[in-house]
Amino acid sequence: MSRILLIVAIAAIGAGAYYYLNQPEPTPAEEIQSAAQDAGEAAGETTEAARQAVSDALDSAVDQATETAEAAQDAVTDTANAAADQISEGASSVATQVEDAATEAGDQIAALSQQGQDLFNSWIEDGTLTTGQFDYDSMVASVRDSALAQEIKTQAIVILDEIKASPETLVTKMQELQQLLTQPQ
């Protein structure tokens, strides 16, 4: 059996050699056709390579654009958050300042009202103002020297002038004067 295989192998090699050696030369048309076929295959491979390169470049550009957009969105979000925080802090600060100013103004108004009441009480305590006595000069001087608002001082002196001009209106005008001096300023 090994002899048969050896004979078949030698016969196959001989047939191949005969076919290769007796193969006719390609004609110019066959050479052109073969060259065209090779060129077509090369063009196909080049086209496929170019298509793949364009696809890769497009994928890369899309990835970069996506990353850039995400970075821009993150930056905008961070900026908006920072601005919102600053606005919130500013509003809180303004609210605190307004509240402090309102409290201070309320304290000042209360202090001024108390000053007017204290002034009126001092007139009664030192005898400048009684149901039977009215010391116009002392009262006008104490109003002018007080820390009351100028408008209140002016109105108080007008009332004191009216009392001096019409002593019979003393009780009514003193009530008006007390109300003026103790009102919130």
Side-chain angles (χ1 to χ4, degrees):
M1 180 111 126
S2 55
R3 282 186 193 174
I4 294 177
L5 285 177
L6 185 57
I7 293 173
V8 171
I10 292 175
I13 291 174
Y18 175 76
Y19 176 74
Y20 179 73
L21 292 174
N22 288 326
Q23 187 176 10
E25 283 291 319
T27 63
E30 289 176 341
E31 286 180 1
I32 291 174
Q33 184 181 6
S34 176
Q37 193 175 21
D38 289 345
E41 289 174 3
E45 290 172 3
T46 304
T47 302
E48 179 59 27
R51 187 196 63 76
Q52 187 62 39
V54 168
S55 177
D56 291 346
L58 183 59
D59 288 344
S60 176
V62 168
D63 289 344
Q64 288 178 350
T66 301
E67 290 173 5
T68 302
E70 288 173 353
Q73 182 179 6
D74 290 346
V76 167
T77 300
D78 291 346
T79 302
N81 287 341
D85 290 346
Q86 288 177 347
I87 290 170
S88 176
E89 289 172 8
S92 177
S93 174
V94 168
T96 301
Q97 290 174 355
V98 167
E99 184 179 325
D100 291 348
T103 301
E104 185 177 332
D107 292 346
Q108 289 176 351
I109 289 171
L112 291 175
S113 294
Q114 187 60 43
Q115 287 177 356
Q117 183 64 46
D118 290 345
L119 179 64
F120 194 83
N121 290 343
S122 72
W123 292 338
I124 294 171
E125 288 174 9
D126 66 12
T128 304
L129 176 63
T130 63
T131 53
Q133 182 176 343
F134 168 72
D135 188 352
Y136 172 80
D137 294 331
S138 296
M139 291 173 75
V140 169
S142 64
V143 167
R144 285 187 180 143
D145 294 340
S146 73
L148 295 172
Q150 186 59 43
E151 183 179 321
I152 300 295
K153 287 180 183 181
T154 303
Q155 290 175 3
I157 291 174
V158 167
I159 292 172
L160 291 173
D161 288 342
E162 290 173 357
I163 294 171
K164 184 177 180 184
S166 299
E168 66 276 359
T169 62
L170 176 69
V171 174
T172 311
K173 291 296 181 179
M174 277 300 125
Q175 289 173 347
E176 188 178 327
L177 182 61
Q178 183 179 18
Q179 184 178 18
L180 172 70
L181 292 177
T182 58
Q183 75 180 352
Q185 300 175 23

